[in-house]
Amino acid sequence: MPAIPHIPDNAPFTPAQRAWLNGFLAGMYSRDQPTAQPPTATRNVAVLYASQTGTSERLAKKIAKELKLKGHTARVTSLESYAPTALATEQCALILASTYGEGDPPDHARLFFDQLCTDQAPRLDQLDYALLALGDSHYEHFCKFGVDLDSRLETLGAKRLCPTVTCDVDVDEPFEAWKSELLTRLSAATSAPPTPVIAPVVPTAPISLYHRKNPFLATLIDKRSLTHNISSKQTIHLSFSLDTSGLDYEAGDALAVLPSNDPCLVSDILEHAQLSGSEPLALPNSDRQTLAEALTHRLQITRLSRKLIEAFARAGACTTLLSLLKPEQQSHLDQYMHDRGLIDLILEHPGVVTSAQQLVDLLPQLAPRLYSISSSPRSHAGEVHATVAVVRYRSHNRERGGVCSTLFADRTAIGEKLPIYIQHNKKFRLPLDSATPIIMIGPGTGIAPFRAFLHERRATSATGRNWLFFGERSAETDFLYREELEQMTASGLLTRLDTAFSRDQAHKIYVQDRMIEQGAELFRWLEQGATLYVCGDATYMAKDVDAALHRILEQHGSLSPEAARDFVSNLHDSNRYQRDVY
Ligand SMILES: Cc1cc2nc3c(=O)[nH]c(=O)nc-3n(C[C@H](O)[C@H](O)[C@H](O)COP(=O)(O)OP(=O)(O)OC[C@H]3O[C@@H](n4cnc5c(N)ncnc54)[C@H](O)[C@@H]3O)c2cc1C
Ligand SMILES: NC(=O)c1ccc[n+]([C@@H]2O[C@H](COP(=O)([O-])OP(=O)(O)OC[C@H]3O[C@@H](n4cnc5c(N)ncnc54)[C@H](OP(=O)(O)O)[C@@H]3O)[C@@H](O)[C@H]2O)c1
Ligand SMILES: Cc1cc2nc3c(=O)[nH]c(=O)nc-3n(C[C@H](O)[C@H](O)[C@H](O)COP(=O)(O)O)c2cc1C
């Protein structure tokens, strides 16, 4: 057996990175050995995923690798390029499904799920399956797509290999539990004779050293306001140095940041819960921490969820909260949760929190925040930029702030470091053919990836035409990147720039109004093969822009509503309608 390479202590890595690399190398080298335990049974497994920002794709690849090491055959496929009829030919499928929108599939899995839900969907009596549903319980429809898919598969006759597991933000632990249960059941469920296999050498895709569990500490090298100080909102531009990290990204990717809470809010919570903060805790997968450290760096304290309110209400037998949890009270519960946080529960129900550990057990993990990257690696080498709307509001007699956006705005100075990693987004990319025209709809911070696209197209001398629709409240105070965009227009890089300043006149004007005004030209660009991109608010803007697109197709393409729907579906399917909405 060849010696396992070892990263020496003086190599330019942090201890955590060195330990990770040494573990990785040890794993790889021991895998190469033909002495690996032969598996007892093998299966041909389709590993399917429905992902938007890459988490379920990453887990799908991880489980496929382990299946192969156990001698099974595993093929990883996105549901984007998979049809229910193909599922009818599988014996065994593992599905990792993330939820978006209002409990919907990710954009790319929409067609698969729509087809699976029709009367023409095939019976799946031959299929054994296991499902991991990814989501975030702060959303009203927690893991709904995964749950709906699970029940549809069952209706069509497929049999569950192991119980469906839901992951709430922190995916790694439930994934490991699901995987180990599944691998046990998979081996047990097959009657195929053991195949004498040598554990295959798995070709390794380049794996980033930096991820959620091992973020890179990036130095903030620039921070400036993009809005005027008399504006009704605050949007800031940030640049981080990637230094010698080796982190790379493409225009269209997102920057993930592991935020920390405002220490003043943590102090308030501790004071009202009558805890000191110095109480030691044992948290899973972490060194010992004090309560104050956990509340600052690891736990979500600013948002409420049904799960948290339920646990809190039960712990304190709070009758008002318990009655809010009744199904018929959902709208009142939503209203209650909308602008309150943990501090409000503690103030309104004193005495419920009795110990540090009880408080910690109630709270979910603090999730990373994503920001569409607004730089191009070719134009801004060694840097990554973000464009951030700072969340501030007042409710229940308290000034409140978004955790991460106020961390950037108020609690991080130039020269300080924040933990980051890159969240790749292969579904939001410039066209491969650089001559393809692009139409970008990006109001507010939705401008971010389009600044990246434009810099990228300039750096690569792309010949395709570029059309940007930008919207904000007021031209005087909120015209983000005004000089840059005007310079790009003057240089001809931006073929067209259409702006919609919503509050500069008596009635609101939005980007979709400008699209409709320019409908004939927009339709011509689409006919000429343009790719259409939308970025920004998902709740209202993206839906209204979608409706405007249908209207333009009907009006200027003389299409019926059904034909316009098909046109848009085709745009989606051919990656000519890409959305990065939040
Ligand atoms: C793929 C992706 C890309 C993104 N790109 C960007 C980007 O480029 N730029 C950007 O700024 N953001 C972007 N976001 C959003 C970003 O990730 C954060 O969600 C955002 O910055 C808020 O995070 P926060 O920690 O500051 O606020 P949080 O602590 O998460 O608080 C936000 C919450 O505060 C509450 N809230 C906010 N306003 C009010 C109000 N007026 N009244 C009551 N409650 C309120 C709401 O519950 C809201 O969900 C992106 C998100 C995704 C998923
Ligand atoms: N709490 C806060 O202080 C705060 C502030 C800003 C943003 N946010 C949130 O942060 C997210 C991103 O905000 P952002 O700064 O990128 O910008 P944004 O809030 O999405 O606003 C950008 C522009 O889009 C307009 N707009 C509003 N509704 C629209 C619709 N249905 N269709 C098209 N355009 C519409 C806005 O107009 P009008 O605003 O004039 O309607 C504004 O001109 C949003 O989800 C928003 O809810 C919170
Ligand atoms: C814009 C947006 C909408 C979301 N909507 C939901 C939702 O309705 N229900 C839910 O459980 N999770 C929701 N989530 C959380 C994602 O499902 C979760 O972060 C998941 O891990 C993402 O997986 P992916 O990286 O594979 O796309 C949403 C996330 C985003 C960014």
Side-chain angles (χ1 to χ4, degrees), residues 31 47 58-70 72 94 96 130-132 161-165 167 171-187:
R31 275 174 211 165
V47 182
R58 172 174 68 82
L59 300 181
K61 288 180 178 160
K62 198 165 170 187
I63 195 157
K65 208 165 177 179
E66 299 215 15
L67 287 167
K68 287 179 189 167
L69 287 171
K70 296 209 173 296
H72 301 287
L94 310 186
L96 298 93
L131 202 143
L132 186 75
L161 273 166
C162 66
T164 290
V165 166
C167 303
V171 292
D172 291 323
E173 256 180 66
F175 169 72
E176 289 301 325
W178 177 74
K179 188 186 73 185
S180 86
E181 174 77 14
L182 175 67
L183 291 175
T184 313
R185 303 254 185 133
L186 257 187
S187 301

Side-chain angles (χ1 to χ4, degrees), residues 244-361:
T244 51
S245 65
L247 271 175
D248 58 8
Y249 67 90
E250 283 187 52
D253 285 340
L255 175 72
V257 180
L258 299 181
S260 46
N261 288 304
D262 181 353
C264 297
L265 177 61
V266 171
S267 297
D268 245 16
I269 288 171
L270 288 170
E271 186 191 330
H272 291 288
Q274 299 187 340
L275 294 163
S276 75
S278 58
E279 296 83 349
L281 302 166
L283 287 164
N285 305 326
S286 120
D287 298 335
R288 286 181 75 78
Q289 275 188 331
T290 64
L291 174 62
E293 284 163 346
L295 289 175
T296 310
H297 299 292
R298 290 183 62 95
L299 299 168
Q300 174 68 53
I301 57 175
T302 54
R303 300 188 208 158
L304 298 179
S305 63
R306 171 179 274 275
K307 201 167 149 193
L308 167 58
I309 293 183
E310 194 161 357
F312 188 94
R314 289 197 196 292
C318 312
T319 44
T320 48
L321 286 180
L322 286 169
S323 63
L324 261 187
L325 292 163
K326 291 181 183 149
E328 65 275 18
Q329 293 293 322
Q330 184 63 46
S331 63
H332 290 118
L333 177 67
D334 290 342
Q335 209 179 336
Y336 181 84
M337 293 191 300
H338 170 67
D339 54 5
R340 287 179 173 84
L342 175 66
I343 184 72
D344 303 278
L345 283 184
I346 291 176
L347 284 169
E348 290 169 18
H349 304 275
V352 175
V353 175
T354 51
S355 76
Q357 194 63 48
Q358 179 220 13
L359 177 58
V360 165
D361 291 344

Side-chain angles (χ1 to χ4, degrees), residues 11 27 43 54 146 165 175 186 199 232 248 280 300 303 317 339 349 374 465 469 492 497 526 548 552 556 569 571 580:
R43 299 202 67 173
V165 166
F175 169 72
L186 257 187
S232 53
D248 58 8
Q300 174 68 53
R303 300 188 208 158
D339 54 5
H349 304 275
S374 53
R465 287 169 295 150
F469 287 89
L497 171 62
L526 288 176
I552 289 167
H556 298 282
S569 273
L571 285 180
D580 176 21

Side-chain angles (χ1 to χ4, degrees), residues 50-57 97-104 106 134-144 167 169 171 370 423 538 581-582:
S51 185
Q52 198 132 309
T53 54
T55 319
S56 53
E57 179 178 1
S98 304
T99 295
Y100 279 86
E102 280 150 29
D104 304 319
L134 283 78
D136 177 341
S137 61
H138 289 101
Y139 288 94
E140 185 185 340
H141 305 288
F142 176 54
C143 284
K144 183 167 183 297
C167 303
V169 181
V171 292
L370 296 181
Q423 179 76 62
V581 294
Y582 41 89

Side-chain angles (χ1 to χ4, degrees), residues 233 389 392 445 472 502-503 508 510 512 537 540 544:
K233 67 194 288 190
R392 299 186 199 276
T445 53
E472 252 304 348
S502 51
R503 303 190 187 186
K508 295 262 174 139
Y510 289 151
Q512 60 273 23
D537 171 60
Y540 305 105
D544 294 347

